[in-house]
Amino acid sequence: MTRPIVVVTGDGTTVNWGIWGDVRTCVLQWEYMEKVAQAGGAPVLLPPIPEVVESVMEKADALLLSGGPDVAPARYGEEPGPDTKPPRLFRDDSEFAALRLAEERGLPVLGICRGLQIMCIARGGRLHQHLPEHGPTVLGTYEPREIQIKPDSRLGGILGLSPTVYCHHHQGVAEIGAGMVATAWADDGIIEGAEEEDPDAPFRVGIQAHGELGDSTMPLFRALVEAASAGKRG
């Protein structure tokens, strides 16, 4: 059977590339694409170009919202705090559009870190703009953290009740949006995961940790691809 197409959101930035400096690129950490492929999906990178989102999403069987920079606070009705980084509005516009189209088509959605935040904001939720106690001890390193997951949740059925995950974030979900429910927490009560409140709704799950890292979260990618495959067969 043909692999289901999992559209994965990418970022736009400037990098040094070989002998070339300041090259504009569309990028994403390799682990996202690798895990989708290992789970049986065909990953397709979505560039953060708003005008192409609809055409790409027409081919999608699932959507993976990847981690990345801070979402513009205007999206949830706030002014930027002193520790909030400048937004990349082109990426915000692209990802909110991709999520809207995925929901309209009933596609499965997985949100990773920023992706979870996008899912909640799109439903009317808001963020903690700065959580210094959750930031990494060393920038650029992912720190292992055990989280607690609600037993009777979809996320709990996939990952178990207390998996160790890898984190690198300074923001988090303060309020879950309409139709979403929190299903995972850190020791201090900060939300670490959420999902669609209706258990019969399409697969829509988000996790604050960087699920593209480590083995404990591989079942999330399998669950996404399985949901995409089921929709493709249907």
Side-chain angles (χ1 to χ4, degrees):
M1 182 176 176
T2 304
R3 288 174 176 243
I5 293 174
V6 179
V7 169
V8 189
T9 57
D11 203 354
T13 190
T14 302
V15 302
N16 291 327
W17 195 301
I19 63 172
W20 306 104
D22 297 330
V23 178
R24 296 177 65 198
T25 58
C26 176
V27 297
L28 184 68
Q29 294 92 325
W30 179 262
E31 288 84 0
Y32 285 99
M33 312 299 273
E34 185 175 50
K35 271 196 165 55
V36 169
Q38 289 174 348
V44 173
L45 186 63
L46 176 66
I49 302 173
E51 56 266 33
V52 308
V53 171
E54 185 170 0
S55 295
V56 175
M57 290 303 297
E58 286 178 357
K59 307 295 184 182
D61 298 306
L63 173 65
L64 197 167
L65 295 165
S66 63
D70 297 349
V71 180
R75 286 279 183 174
Y76 47 96
E78 295 185 9
E79 294 294 324
D83 296 290
T84 297
K85 306 301 187 293
R88 294 176 183 170
L89 298 180
F90 57 90
R91 180 168 179 183
D92 289 357
D93 291 345
S94 299
E95 292 190 339
F96 280 103
L99 177 58
R100 175 180 55 81
L101 292 165
E103 291 189 337
E104 287 177 357
R105 292 185 53 203
L107 300 180
V109 178
L110 173 61
I112 300 290
C113 197
R114 169 190 161 97
L116 165 65
Q117 297 168 12
I118 292 279
M119 294 171 73
C120 291
I121 294 169
R123 301 290 190 92
R126 66 179 187 86
L127 304 184
H128 294 291
Q129 289 198 43
H130 189 50
L131 295 168
E133 66 276 14
H134 278 251
T137 304
V138 179
L139 287 176
T141 63
Y142 297 90
E143 297 180 350
R145 177 179 302 154
E146 185 178 283
I147 61 174
Q148 306 305 315
I149 302 181
K150 187 179 179 183
D152 59 348
S153 64
R154 178 174 269 173
L155 189 58
I158 296 170
L159 293 184
L161 304 187
S162 55
T164 296
V165 294
Y166 291 88
C167 299
H168 188 296
H169 63 92
H170 80 108
Q171 296 191 332
V173 175
E175 292 182 9
I176 299 290
M180 299 282 286
V181 60
T183 52
W185 299 266
D187 290 341
D188 60 1
I190 292 297
I191 294 169
E192 290 283 349
E195 61 193 62
E196 192 79 38
E197 188 171 22
D198 180 0
D200 297 322
F203 179 97
R204 293 190 187 116
V205 174
I207 186 170
Q208 181 60 59
H210 278 267
E212 77 277 13
L213 302 175
D215 297 327
S216 66
T217 49
M218 187 65 203
L220 265 179
F221 291 81
R222 294 195 189 100
L224 177 69
V225 171
E226 287 171 5
S229 296
K232 193 176 179 68
R233 289 193 297 270

